[in-house]
């Protein structure tokens, strides 16, 4: 895991190495200052030597200045290294997520991915910055200050050793207890983000159902649990502070008492005792920093694991080694296809599907909700792979195509389609980024969208809000159809894409298809018989199995499900008319 993460710092190797060097220099300079002070007191002030005071005083100033410069430089380099590291991590994660297949996406929640891209990366970034600055500085300072104090007075320095052992035990106790809480905290973060994301993206539904109170409670609960876990972790961490205080004051007391005795017995000078006090703070502060860095590292370990998981997730749909980059025609064949979302054959959503569709045919698909209509067509542009059996397009197994080529030739209007924030033109050009204005208009005419677009004050430059919230459901569907048409595909799939469009417009769209794209294979999933009855053939799906496949007239004679649906819709319409 560390190796994987380190590879993202490579670009900032120089900064990452310079930081600890400057930090170490800064620490050395800082520890020299108390020694110089001892000299001034003992040799200068003690002996009334003003010149000595001035010279060593100037040296002290110089050392302080170098220390300051090193501090500034280390800050600069550490900031650059850690933010660069975070940038690279985010880029790599984002890039990898774009390659995820539908089934990879099913595995992570959107909220979980967002937490990983934001909070988790920030945690790792902070920990990294702490590590390169403090993890070098603190042990370095500790060792250096210990060395200096042993140099000044070895006996007295034993007091420090006692303090280190005491604090070490306390730290170990805190570390082992705190880690499990932090592991929990990040899981709770996901829940919190999921709650926020769900609420904010569906805020209109929340309002329509007057569920604000419920949603507030849900959020309150999620943030309350997070708060509780943080408090528990922090409660343990703050034990650090009194332990630290205790160690500092005990050291000072012992040093004063033992030091005074030594001064009286002339085994130590006043200046030496003064610098010993300065080293007390140095040593104990280093210990505290080491403990804080440990906490950060432990906290970020959980985050780092979650990041690496995203980075290492391999898309389970890869283009083959020598992909075919041309789709001959729009013929489609399903051979003994079984499909299950969980990849286990005993829970199949599609069972033993065998169909052959000729290029240029118009095929309707009808079936109850959950009968696997969407699942069936998602296999054609290889949004999912079959669990067993094969799907062929243009006579060749979809697994042999270059995925991009295949998806360009098989254009699909998804059931849950979305528009992105941007103008209508920008949205349409998702279909074909080089499309001319004339092509855009032609596609919109086929999708019966031209008329309402022309009625907008800004026409094709009308701005679409996020998720297409400022156009009606039917208008959105027609824009999505136009967008799919712009690909000029060999196969066009409409998954319930005219459900919000009135029957007259729906018929006009089908008429336009017949006239303008006769060679394109068209697959139309619909709930209304009227949307599919003039198709060349119609597939009736029932619970993941093909129940019937034929023309409207054939099915009316032989297929019970089709007859039932037809009668309920036609009779329903008759009843409405007779009212
Ligand atoms: N991403 C998914 N992960 C797991 N199961 C899924 C997923 N998508 C659909 N399913 C399941 O597969 C079955 C078929 O769903 P599918 O969406 O294909 O039905 P459908 O015929 O398109 O229904 P509708 O008319 O409501 O759109 C359902 O039982 C559904 O719960
Ligand atoms: Mg569906």
């Amino acid at each position: 895991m560390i190796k994987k993460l380190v590879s993202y710092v490579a670009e900032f190797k120089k900064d990452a190495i310079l930081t600890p060097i400057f930090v170490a220099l800064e620490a050395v300079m800082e520890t020299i200052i108390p020694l110089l002070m001892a000299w001034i007191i003992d040799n200068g002030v003690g002996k009334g030597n003003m010149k000595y005071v001035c010279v060593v005083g100037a040296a002290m100033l110089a050392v302080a200045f170098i220390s300051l410069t090193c501090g500034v430089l280390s800050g600069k380099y550490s900031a650059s290294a850690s933010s660069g590291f975070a940038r690279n991590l985010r880029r790599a994660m984002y890039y990898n997520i774009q390659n995820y297949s539908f089934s990879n996406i099913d595995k992570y929640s959107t909220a979980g991915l967002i937490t990983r891209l934001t909070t988790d990366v920030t945690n790792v970034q902070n920990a990294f910055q702490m590590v390169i600055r403090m993890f070098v500085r603190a042990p370095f300072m500790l060792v250096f200050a210990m060395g200096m104090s042993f140099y000044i007075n070895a006996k007295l320095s034993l007091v420090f050793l006692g303090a280190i052992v005491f604090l070490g035990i306390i730290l170990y106790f805190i570390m082992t207890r705190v880690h499990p809480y932090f592991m929990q905290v990040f899981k709770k973060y996901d829940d919190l983000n999921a709650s926020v994301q769900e609420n904010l993206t569906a805020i209109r539904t929340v309002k329509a159902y007057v569920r604000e109170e419920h949603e507030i409670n849900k959020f309150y609960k999620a943030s309350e649990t997070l708060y509780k876990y943080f408090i528990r972790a922090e409660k343990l961490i703050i034990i650090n502070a009194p332990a630290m205080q205790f160690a500092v004051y005990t050291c000072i007391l012992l040093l004063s008492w033992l030091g005074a005795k030594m001064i009286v017995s002339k085994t130590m000078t006043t200046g030496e005792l003064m610098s010993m006090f300065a080293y007390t703070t140095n040593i104990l502060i280093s210990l505290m920093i080491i403990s804080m860095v440990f906490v950060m590292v432990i906290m970020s370990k959980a985050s780092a694991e979650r990041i690496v998981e995203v980075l290492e997730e391999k898309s389970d749909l890869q283009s083959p080694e020598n992909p075919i980059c041309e789709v001959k025609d729009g013929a489609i064949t399903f051979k003994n296809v079984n499909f299950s979302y969980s990849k286990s054959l005993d829970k199949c959503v599609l069972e033993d599907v065998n169909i052959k569709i000729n290029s240029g045919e118009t095929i309707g698909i009808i079936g109850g909700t959950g009968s696997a209509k969407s699942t069936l067509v998602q296999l054609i542009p290889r949004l999912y792979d079959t669990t067993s059996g094969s799907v062929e397009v243009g006579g060749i197994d979809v697994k042999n195509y270059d995925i991009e080529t295949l998806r360009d030739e098989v254009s699909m209007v998804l059931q849950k389609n979305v528009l992105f924030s941007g103008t209508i033109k920008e949205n349409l050009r998702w279909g074909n980024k080089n499309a001319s204005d004339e092509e855009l208009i032609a596609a919109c005419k086929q999708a019966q969208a031209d008329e309402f677009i022309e009625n907008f004050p800004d026409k094709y430059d009308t701005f679409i809000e996020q998720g297409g919230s400022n156009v009606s459901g039917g208008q959105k569907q027609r824009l999505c159809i136009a967008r799919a048409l712009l690909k000029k595909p060999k196969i066009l799939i409409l998954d319930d894409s005219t459900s919000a469009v009135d029957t007259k417009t729906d018929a006009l769209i089908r008429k336009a298809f017949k006239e303008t794209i006769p060679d394109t294979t068209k697959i139309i999933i619909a709930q209304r018989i009227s949307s599919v009855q003039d198709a060349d053939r119609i597939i009736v799906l029932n619970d993941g199995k093909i129940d019937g496949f034929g023309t409207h007239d054939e099915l009316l004679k032989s297929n019970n499900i089709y007859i039932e649906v037809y009668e309920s819709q036609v009779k329903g319409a008759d009843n409405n008319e007779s009212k």
Side-chain angles (χ1 to χ4, degrees), residues 337-341 343-345 348 385-389:
V337 170
N338 289 297
F339 176 80
S340 143
Y341 282 102
K343 301 208 161 90
S344 78
L345 274 173
C348 275
D385 267 339
T386 57
T387 310
S388 75

Side-chain angles (χ1 to χ4, degrees), residues 106 341 349 367-376 384 415 495 527:
D106 289 344
Y341 282 102
V349 175
T369 49
S371 59
K373 302 182 292 295
S374 302
T375 311
L376 179 82
Y384 287 95
Q415 190 168 17
D495 188 352
Q527 302 289 351

Side-chain angles (χ1 to χ4, degrees), residues 534-550:
D534 52 359
D536 295 323
R537 284 187 293 167
I538 300 156
I539 297 173
V540 181
L541 264 181
N542 182 27
D543 203 12
K545 291 182 211 71
I546 305 276
D547 195 74
F549 190 18

